Structures are given as C-alpha cells and as structure tokens.
C-alpha cells in the first residue's frame, strides 16, 4: 500500500516541535515518530516554505504536496485580454554531476 502524501500541516507540526524542544531527537520522541521521519518532515516543511506563495496556494487548492516542476500562469489584462504562460525552470547544466563528483 503506498504511503499517503505528507500534508503541509504534518510537516509544520514536525518543524514546530523541533523549534519547541530544541533538538530533533527530543522532538521525534515527543511526537512518537522515528528521528528519520521527523527529519524528512522538517526538510519537506523547509522546501514548502521556500516556494513562491502562489505555488503553495495552488498546491493547497488541489490538495497535493507535490511541488510542480512547471506551472501555467493565467491572467487578464486591463482590456480583458487573457494571457497564459507556461513557467518551467531551466534544467540543470550538463556538467552538474561532474561538478558534484569533483567536490567529493
């Protein structure tokens, strides 16, 4: 059975527990979850917080925690003209893996 997606609320709960208890180990104990689970939830929360608020609003509107790799932006001009733009981040440079290998 697949694991259900992590909600932003559950991720925020983990982050706030970490802040309240001062350590991830204490927060994990207080929530009754494994340390690795807490750590994963905190990372998800930090990723979510780093998103553009419009992306988070759209994620919440459709009930997903999957961060889109591309998005449509739709708007209307003052004259009533509709505009639609596909936003897609640039791919990583071709030498990314080589640079990571060299760093290690």
């Amino acid at each position: 059975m697949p694991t259900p997606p992590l909600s932003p609320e559950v991720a925020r709960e983990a982050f706030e527990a970490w802040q309240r208890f001062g350590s991830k180990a204490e927060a994990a104990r207080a929530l009754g979850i494994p340390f690795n689970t807490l750590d994963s939830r905190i990372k998800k929360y930090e990723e979510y917080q780093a998103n553009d608020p419009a992306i988070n609003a759209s994620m919440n509107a459709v009930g997903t925690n999957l961060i889109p790799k591309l998005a449509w932006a739709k708007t209307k001009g003052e004259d009533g003209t509709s505009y639609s733009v596909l936003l897609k981040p640039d791919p990583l440079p071709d030498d990314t893996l080589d640079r990571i290998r060299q760093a290690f």
Side-chain angles (χ1 to χ4, degrees):
M1 174 181 286
T3 304
L6 178 66
S7 73
E9 293 79 21
V10 171
R12 182 178 59 244
E13 176 189 41
F15 181 83
E16 290 174 353
W18 175 37
Q19 299 302 300
R20 185 171 52 253
F21 292 100
S23 79
K24 290 180 181 179
E26 287 297 319
R29 269 193 288 281
L31 294 176
I33 59 175
F35 179 89
N36 290 341
T37 300
L38 178 98
D39 195 46
S40 174
R41 290 178 181 180
I42 289 171
K43 287 177 184 172
K44 274 291 187 192
Y45 178 79
E46 291 171 338
E47 288 172 11
Y48 184 81
Q49 290 302 107
N51 289 340
D52 182 286
I55 295 293
N56 288 345
S58 66
M59 291 166 58
N60 291 338
V62 298
T64 184
N65 70 337
L66 300 174
I67 299 170
K69 298 297 182 202
L70 57 94
W72 282 101
K74 297 182 179 189
T75 188
K76 282 191 177 185
E78 290 180 14
D79 64 356
T81 304
S82 292
Y83 298 95
S84 180
V85 178
L86 178 63
L87 306 171
K88 183 177 178 184
D90 290 332
L92 293 173
D94 289 339
D95 68 337
T96 300
L97 288 178
D98 292 334
R99 289 187 291 124
I100 292 170
R101 281 186 200 106
Q102 288 174 359
F104 288 100

